[in-house]
Amino acid sequence: MTAHETSQTRIAPAWTQQLRALLRSQESVLLFITVIAVLILSTQTDKFLTVRNLLNQGRLMTEIGLIALPMTYIIVTGGIDLSVGSIAGLSAIMLGYGWYNLGLPLELAIVLALVIGAIAGFANGLFIILFRVPPLIMTLATLAFYRGLAEGIAQARSVRDYPEWFYALGQRETLGIPNQLYFLVIAAIITAIILSRTTFGRSLYAIGNNELAARFSGIPVRRNKLIIYTLSGFMSGFAGYVLVSRVSTTRSDMGSGWELDAIAAVVLGGTSIFGGSGSIVGTMIGLVLIQLLKNGLALTGVTGDATIVVIGSVLILSTLINSVIQRRVEGL
Amino acid sequence: MASITQTVSVRRQRFSPSSILRSVLGSQESVLLLALILLIVWVGSENRQFLATRNMVNVFAGNAYIAIAALGMTMVIITGNIDISVGSLMVTLSMLSGAISVYDGYPSWVSTDLTIALAWVLPVIVGALVGAIIGFIVTYLRIPAIVVTLGFLSILKGLLIIVSGGDRITGMPKGYALAQIRPLEDVSMPIFPAFFQTLTMPVFFMVILTILVALWMRYSPTGRALYAVGGNAEAARLSGISRHRVVMTAFILNGVFVGIAAVMNATQFSVIQVTLPPIELTIITATVVGGVSILGGTGTVVGAMLAAIFLNTITKALVFLDISPFWTRAIQGMLILITVLADLYRRHRQSA
C-alpha cells in the first residue's frame, strides 16, 4: 500500500520503472521476507497457519503495535522515545489505583489512565523542545522516573477483580475478531494516512531530514514535536489499558521492555533510526513479522529463548539487506 | 582528579572568588563530586549509621562494576555510537565465568588454579570478540549501532538462556571470589584505616582502570582520535584518522571492560543468576549523568565513575532516610533529569 505511496513521490516516467521502484522499496523487501518466513513456518506445523491462531497473535501484538505507530512518527523526526513502556506501566497503575484506592468509577479511572499517559508524553515533549534535551536522554530519564512513580504509587500491590465488562476490550471478540485488533487496525490506517498524506505528516520527514531547514521553511517544528511525543504518551497509556484488560490484573512492572520491542518493529519496518524516512506500513509489517516468528518458532518446538535469537538476527540481517538494496537504488 | 580543564581554568582566574566558584561548577565532574560529598554528609547527619564503615564500603563498591562497564560505554558514546547490548553481554559473560569455574570435565593436568584463572580471563576475551563483531557490523557493514546492538541484546539474551538453561550457578571453587578480596586488609592506612582495609577488589579495579583510561583518552593519539571522530567525523577523516579503526577500537575495548565488569559481578556473591535487570540503562545513565554528550565528542570517564557512585549512593541513602525503596527509581529518574538539565544550562552559559 505505502509502497505505492513512496514510489509516487518519485516522478516515474514509465510504468516499468515504477514497478521496479515498488519492488525495491523497503516495505516490499520486508513483505517478501515475511511471506518466505510464513511459508517455511507453515510447512513445519499445521497449527500455525490457522485463522484462530493468527487472530490470537493479532491480539497479542496489539499493545506493542499501538506504541510502535507513534514511535514511527518520532523516529522519522530523528527522535526516540524510551519511556513508552514505563508510561504504559504508570497508566496501568493509575487505572487500578484510581478505581480501587481512590474509589473512582471505573470509566473515570480509564480516562484518568489515558490522561496521565498523555501528560507524561507531553512532559517529555515539553522538555525536549524547551530545553533542547536530546530525546534519548530525556526519555531515558523518564523511563526511570515514570516507572519509579508506578512502583512508588503501587507499593508492590496488584489490583484485580475488575467488573466483567472491563474485560471486553482485551479478551472478547466481535464478529470473530479480537476487539483490540479493531483499534490497532483503525489506528494504523489513520496514522498511515496522516504520515503520508497530510502537511503535518510530511513535515515530520522534513524535520528528520534537516531540522534547521524545516524551521526556516516555516514548519512549526516545536509544536509538531510536542504533538507526537504527547501522542506517544497517550497511545502508551492506551496500550497499558488494553494490557490490563487482557491480563485481568494491574502490576507496576507492566510494560517493561516494551520500548525495545516497539523500536525493533519500527526499525525492522525500514524506518531509518537517523530520521527522515520510514512508513507506517513498514512498521506494521515489522510488527507482524516479529510476532509470527515468535509464534511460529514456538509452535515448531523452538524454545522462546531461541526465538529471540532469531528475531535479533532477523533485525540485523534485514537492515543489512535493505541498506545494500537502497544503496544500489541510490547508485552509491 | 576532577578533570584537567577545571584546574586550567582555576589557574587562569584565580583571583576572584566568584570566578573560582564558577569554574569549579564549570565541569560535570566537579559538580558530581560536590553533590556526592554533600549527599553523604547530609544523609550521615540524618542517620549516623549511614557513615558506618561497612555501609560506606558498600556505597563505593556496589556500583563499581557499573562504573567499569561505563568506561567502555563512554568511549562508544564519545565516538557518536551507542551499545544497548551491554546488559545482556555482561550477564552472559558472568554466567560463562561461573560455568568455567564449576565445570568438572577438565583433563587431570588442569589444576583448580588454572580453572579459576580461565574463569577470570576468558570472559574478557569473549567480550572483546563480541565487541569486535559489533564494531565490524557497525563500521564495515554500515548499520547504525543502535540497531546492531538492539539485535545483539536479543541474540545474547537468548543464547544465554539456552546455554545456561536458565539455571543459577553455585559451588564455585575456593579462591574464585576475586571481588571479595580486600587488597589493603593488612596495610595500615594513616586515614580511615577501617574503611580502606574493608575496601574490596572492584573499587580498586574501578579507580585504577578509570585513571588509566582517563590518561589514555587524554594523551594517546588513539584516545584523542575517539573525540575527533565523535566531534567532527569529516575533519577527523581529513586529518588522516581512520574512523573505522577508531570505532572498532572503542567497541572492542567496550567488550573488554564489560568482560572485566562481568567477572567482578560474578565473583561478588556465591550465586550467579540469570537475572536481567536493565543493566544497560544503568550503565548508559551513569555515562550520561557523568557528562558524556550523547551526540558524541565530549565527556570523560572520571565523570562516569562519579556518576555510578552517585547513583548507588542515592539508592543506599533512601534506606537510611526511611523512604520506601519503591520510590528509589522515581527519585533516581528525577535526579538524572536535574543533572542533565544543569549540564545543558551550563553548556548554554559557556557557549553564550
Side-chain angles (χ1 to χ4, degrees), chain B residues 267-331:
Chain B
T267 55
Q268 203 155 22
F269 307 105
S270 51
V271 184
I272 308 170
Q273 268 172 316
V274 183
T275 45
L276 291 165
I279 307 176
E280 58 275 357
L281 291 177
T282 317
I283 296 170
I284 296 173
T285 301
T287 310
V288 168
V289 171
V292 179
S293 164
I294 205 77
L295 304 172
T298 59
T300 68
V301 286
V302 176
M305 180 186 81
L306 290 171
I309 299 173
F310 185 64
L311 291 175
N312 189 45
T313 313
I314 296 166
T315 316
K316 293 279 187 297
L318 293 180
V319 181
F320 289 88
L321 294 174
D322 263 338
I323 297 173
S324 154
F326 293 116
W327 288 107
T328 308
R329 268 214 272 191
I331 292 168

Side-chain angles (χ1 to χ4, degrees), chain A residues 80 82 127 131-134 136-138 140-149 151-153 155-156 256 259-261 263-264 267 273-274 303 305-313 315-317 319-320 323 327, chain B residues 82 84 137 140-159 161-162 278 280-281 284-285 288 292 294-295 324-334 336-337 340-341 344 348:
Chain A
I80 200 152
L82 295 178
F127 275 85
F131 304 108
R132 304 223 190 95
V133 188
L136 185 77
I137 308 285
M138 181 61 209
L140 186 66
T142 52
L143 173 123
F145 180 59
Y146 294 150
R147 178 69 62 195
L149 282 184
E151 284 172 350
I153 292 168
Q155 295 290 317
S256 304
E259 59 281 352
L260 295 182
D261 289 349
I263 294 168
V267 170
I273 201 81
F274 299 123
T303 60
D305 315 309
T307 311
I308 57 177
V309 176
V310 175
I311 291 171
S313 314
L315 180 66
I316 295 176
L317 280 178
T319 315
L320 183 62
S323 83
R327 233 174 273 161
Chain B
I82 196 158
I84 50 176
I137 301 178
Y140 293 98
L141 302 182
R142 288 197 273 176
I143 301 189
I146 191 167
V147 178
V148 178
T149 55
L150 182 62
F152 265 83
L153 181 144
S154 296
I155 294 173
L156 290 166
K157 200 196 281 181
L159 283 180
I161 303 173
I162 296 165
E280 58 275 357
L281 291 177
I284 296 173
T285 301
V288 168
V292 179
I294 205 77
L295 304 172
S324 154
F326 293 116
W327 288 107
T328 308
R329 268 214 272 191
I331 292 168
Q332 274 200 358
M334 208 138 79
I336 297 168
L337 204 56
V340 170
L341 286 178
L344 282 171
H348 179 70

